[in-house]
Amino acid sequence: MTEKIFRNLQAKIPFLVVGQQHTLKRFRELGYKTFSPYIDESYDSLDDDTRVYAVHKEIKRLLSLPTETKTQMFLYLKNITDFNYNHFFTQHLGTAKNTNLCFWYEV
């Protein structure tokens, strides 16, 4: 994981990951929530080339949704982004002063 994920946590922005395989799996293992079923996260387990294509396909799907649907989805995702924000600042940042999580946040 990189600081880009943690910047989205701070900003409370939903995200897709174009990164290493199983990044979202590791994110969940750290106690965070991801955006399934609103965002198709099946790409997380795919190999590199297939994963990039799957993320691109999901982005196109999300962009093609009607504005009203996107607005409703964003409201549902707000619960997840709020949870992740609070989890980061109460569980990780507060207890891991010398870890990479703090470094990523401070960048």
Side-chain angles (χ1 to χ4, degrees), residues 3-100:
E3 79 284 352
K4 293 167 192 74
I5 290 176
F6 295 98
R7 286 181 181 164
N8 283 307
L9 291 181
Q10 181 187 17
K12 298 184 179 183
I13 299 172
F15 56 87
L16 285 84
V17 177
V18 181
Q20 295 179 340
Q21 187 178 35
H22 301 299
T23 297
L24 292 177
K25 178 182 176 185
R26 177 68 180 130
F27 191 66
R28 288 187 294 270
E29 289 170 354
L30 291 171
Y32 293 97
K33 295 180 180 181
T34 58
F35 306 106
S36 180
Y38 307 104
I39 296 175
D40 180 1
E41 297 175 342
S42 61
Y43 65 85
D44 191 48
S45 62
L46 302 174
D47 63 30
D48 288 346
D49 293 334
T50 309
R51 187 172 54 259
V52 172
Y53 175 75
V55 170
H56 179 259
K57 184 177 170 183
E58 180 61 5
I59 291 169
K60 286 178 65 174
R61 183 191 73 82
L62 292 169
L63 290 173
S64 72
L65 294 173
T67 301
E68 183 177 312
T69 303
K70 285 188 254 189
T71 301
Q72 289 175 334
M73 184 178 2
F74 193 77
L75 292 174
Y76 289 122
L77 295 177
K78 184 177 181 325
N79 292 327
I80 297 170
T81 58
D82 286 346
F83 173 88
N84 288 339
Y85 177 90
N86 291 328
H87 185 68
F88 178 72
F89 283 100
T90 61
Q91 298 298 314
H92 287 148
L93 194 60
T95 61
K97 293 295 182 192
N98 295 315
T99 68
N100 287 339

